[in-house]
């Protein structure tokens, strides 16, 4: 359970941080107001980039909290700049990395009950991770990627998938 | 390993099929040429909806093939309509569902070597699934969702996350 959760979230959060770095560099190099990127969205009723980063943070934070029962920090969702979003990711990483494997291994049979208005799913820990928390997390990281790609930030699939320490070749 | 792969892919492929159904209904109801949706994309150098569905199919198919060593069918990527994309998903589901758990359980230590030009990562089976195949699969399902949402198809987050058989409440 630990292997399928904490290192996966760490990796995804680092991917997200690297995407935001490229976004900041792109804005700087092209005289674009970074706020345009922070507020960009794929559809009028979808979250902008800032909201996607906040939800990716929450998806990983709450998953680790629910599985480990280790209280997570509260974040007020008040980030409005790329550096503030980077700090949010760093704070999320600090919490996720602080939870030891022994608090998560064994959580596969722990009951996880969620509540979103009338939608109140109940899961076993392993189903929660595999069919809710991970897809939700990847949804927001991927949507952040899509927003930046659509906005012209020079990123590619390898920015989402890589890097891999095991890789041979040039890593291009 | 089986639990973290085959049922997860089945669930995601069914989510994708349901999204395409809503896309078809939206096109029909609003006199939109479905080809507009099939060819819609988030950025000029990203795959259109058809390519996202083909890549989601491949991501799940190849993951199951590599982990189970059970030969997968070949798909020529020639789908150009929503019904053809639905057939692609159905064919992918048929293959993925055909692989028995005992062919995947134990694959966590199997070596998986990939090759994309100069990028030649090598993984253990469990790392391959968790850090490559699953994020890649969710990338394409989420991007298909983003394309359809941007095109005005009336879908929401629950179309991506739900439904859950364990849910209480109305499931709204």
């Amino acid at each position: 359970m630990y292997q399928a959760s904490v290192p996966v979230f760490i990796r995804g959060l680092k991917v997200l941080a690297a995407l935001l770095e490229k976004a900041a560099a792109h804005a700087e190099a092209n005289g674009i107001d970074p706020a345009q990127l922070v507020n960009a969205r794929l559809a009028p009723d979808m979250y902008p980039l800032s909201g996607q980063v906040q939800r990716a943070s929450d998806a990983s934070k709450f998953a680790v909290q629910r599985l480990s029962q280790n209280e997570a920090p509260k974040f007020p969702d008040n980030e409005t700049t790329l550096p503030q979003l980077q700090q949010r990711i760093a704070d999320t990483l600090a919490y996720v990395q602080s939870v030891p494997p022994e608090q998560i291994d064994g959580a596969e049979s722990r009951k996880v009950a969620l509540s979103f208005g009338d939608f109140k799913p109940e899961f076993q820990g392993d189903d929660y991770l595999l069919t809710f928390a991970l897809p939700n997390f990847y949804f927001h990281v991927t949507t952040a990627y899509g927003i930046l790609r659509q906005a012209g930030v020079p990123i590619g699939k390898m920015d989402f998938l890589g890097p891999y320490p095991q890789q041979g070749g040039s890593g291009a």
Side-chain angles (χ1 to χ4, degrees), chain A:
Chain A
M1 280 294 284
Y2 182 80
Q3 186 196 3
S5 56
V6 169
V8 169
F9 291 129
I10 290 173
R11 200 167 166 287
L13 290 166
K14 288 183 174 174
V15 162
L16 192 55
L19 292 173
L20 295 190
E21 268 179 44
K22 292 209 173 181
H26 175 73
E28 171 80 19
N30 295 278
I32 296 166
D33 180 355
Q36 274 187 33
L37 299 177
V38 170
N39 297 318
R41 56 182 97 215
L42 294 182
D45 57 347
M46 286 183 83
Y47 285 117
L49 179 68
S50 55
Q52 300 298 339
V53 172
Q54 289 159 352
R55 298 288 76 73
S57 159
D58 278 356
S60 53
K61 180 188 88 166
F62 284 125
V64 171
Q65 174 176 281
R66 287 171 183 140
L67 293 173
S68 70
Q69 304 189 311
N70 187 316
E71 187 75 9
K74 296 200 185 338
F75 300 127
D77 284 346
N78 57 359
E79 297 85 1
T80 59
T81 68
L82 291 175
Q84 288 168 356
L85 291 171
Q86 287 286 15
Q87 189 60 50
R88 170 73 173 256
I89 296 171
D91 292 343
T92 309
L93 271 168
Y95 164 70
V96 170
Q97 288 171 325
S98 76
V99 175
E102 58 270 24
Q103 288 190 359
I104 292 203
D105 283 328
E108 49 268 37
S109 56
R110 188 168 290 153
K111 186 177 151 188
V112 176
L114 307 184
S115 180
F116 306 103
D118 282 343
F119 180 54
K120 300 182 191 301
E122 283 185 18
F123 301 92
Q124 283 215 140
D126 48 5
D127 282 336
Y128 164 69
L129 178 65
L130 292 168
T131 72
F132 189 93
L134 286 176
N136 191 33
F137 177 69
Y138 282 125
F139 178 92
H140 294 294
V141 178
T142 303
T143 303
Y145 173 97
I147 289 170
L148 292 175
R149 185 88 179 256
Q150 185 160 80
V153 176
I155 50 178
K157 189 72 177 297
M158 284 300 120
D159 291 300
F160 182 85
L161 284 178
Y164 290 92
Q166 309 95 324
Q167 77 193 41
S170 71

